Each structure stands twice: as structure tokens, then as C-alpha cells.
């Protein structure tokens, strides 16, 4: 649904320590697999995917480890246009993730960062 939380992602400086921490503290299960040229960890609770984890690339410099919430949008192109109209910034332009949809990372006019996700329709 447009405007709802749809995904949470952790940018890690120390993958193994972060995985262990969230498995112990939250009781999550994890599964790490290659995704393109990187490793991506899925966190699951009761068999349901609830969040992901990736290693922060060197290009992100001093950006600390962090959680990034993603909000579902009905049309990512329209939402990105509105971000710019409202004095926000597009920090990472729209990208496609196969079998997932399109996402981008934005910063609002007050400086807070979040992701936008336009999910691909699910085949039922």
C-alpha cells in the first residue's frame, strides 16, 4: 500500500557481528547469498522475510552502520519528482532489483534519509 513501510535494510560495517547480534537479540534467522557481486543477508522471523543486510561499500566512506526504512510507493517516478519539488534530494537514483521492483534512496527537506520502493506485482 502506498506510504506503508515495506522493507528494512541494515548497512553493515561488520557483517558477522551484526548478524550474530540480531539473531541473539531479536531471535531472527538469517540466510546469506550472493546478490550480483555482493553478499546479501535476509533476516527471517517465523519463516517470513522481514529485513535485509548488506556490507557498506568503501565508496560510502564514513557513513556509519545504520538501518534504512523503505516506504512503498505506487509510482516511484512520480514520487521522486515530488521529492525534488519539495526541496528533498535523491541520494541514490532509481534502480531495478530483479524480481523485486524499483527503489531509490532520498533525503527529505529536513535531512532525514529513507528509501522508496515500487514493488513488482506478485503473481498469485
Amino acid at each position: 500500500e502506498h506510504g506503508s513501510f515495506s522493507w528494512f535494510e541494515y548497512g553493515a560495517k561488520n557483517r558477522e557481528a551484526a548478524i550474530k547480534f540480531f539473531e541473539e537479540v531479536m531471535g531472527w534467522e538469517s540466510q546469506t547469498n550472493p546478490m550480483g557481486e555482493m553478499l546479501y543477508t535476509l533476516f527471517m522471523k517465523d519463516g517470513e522475510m522481514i529485513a535485509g543486510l548488506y556490507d557498506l561499500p568503501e565508496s560510502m566512506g564514513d557513513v556509519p552502520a545504520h538501518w534504512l526504512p523503505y516506504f512503498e510507493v505506487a509510482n516511484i517516478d512520480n514520487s521522486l519528482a515530488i521529492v525534488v519539488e519539495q526541496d528533498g534530494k535523491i541520494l541514490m537514483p532509481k534502480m531495478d532489483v530483479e524480481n523485486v521492483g524499483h527503489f531509490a534512496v532520498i533525503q527529505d527537506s529536513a535531512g532525514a534519509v529513507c528509501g522508496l520502493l515500487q514493488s513488482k506485482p506478485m503473481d498469485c
Side-chain angles (χ1 to χ4, degrees), residues 83-99:
V83 166
V84 174
E85 288 172 11
Q86 295 298 314
D87 296 323
K89 295 178 185 174
I90 299 171
L91 300 179
M92 188 170 68
K94 179 177 87 172
M95 296 180 63
D96 181 60
V97 177
E98 188 175 351
N99 299 320

Side-chain angles (χ1 to χ4, degrees), residues 45-59:
K45 181 71 173 171
D46 300 325
E48 183 177 334
M49 293 187 298
I50 56 170
L53 177 146
Y54 69 99
D55 290 308
L56 286 169
E58 288 183 24
S59 63

Side-chain angles (χ1 to χ4, degrees), residues 12-52:
K13 291 279 189 181
N14 183 331
R15 162 185 295 285
E16 295 307 318
I19 291 170
K20 182 177 185 223
F21 179 87
F22 290 107
E23 286 177 339
E24 295 291 325
V25 172
M26 303 297 193
W28 294 346
E29 299 170 358
S30 67
Q31 180 181 11
T32 301
N33 293 301
M35 180 184 264
E37 296 182 17
M38 63 183 249
L39 290 176
Y40 194 80
T41 299
L42 291 174
F43 288 116
M44 291 153 293
K45 181 71 173 171
D46 300 325
E48 183 177 334
M49 293 187 298
I50 56 170

Side-chain angles (χ1 to χ4, degrees), residues 9 103 112-113:
E9 200 165 56
F103 77 99
V113 176

Side-chain angles (χ1 to χ4, degrees), residues 65-88:
H66 61 276
W67 279 101
L68 181 67
Y70 283 82
F71 295 92
E72 187 69 30
V73 294
N75 183 308
I76 196 163
D77 294 319
N78 288 348
S79 295
L80 290 173
I82 294 168
V83 166
V84 174
E85 288 172 11
Q86 295 298 314
D87 296 323

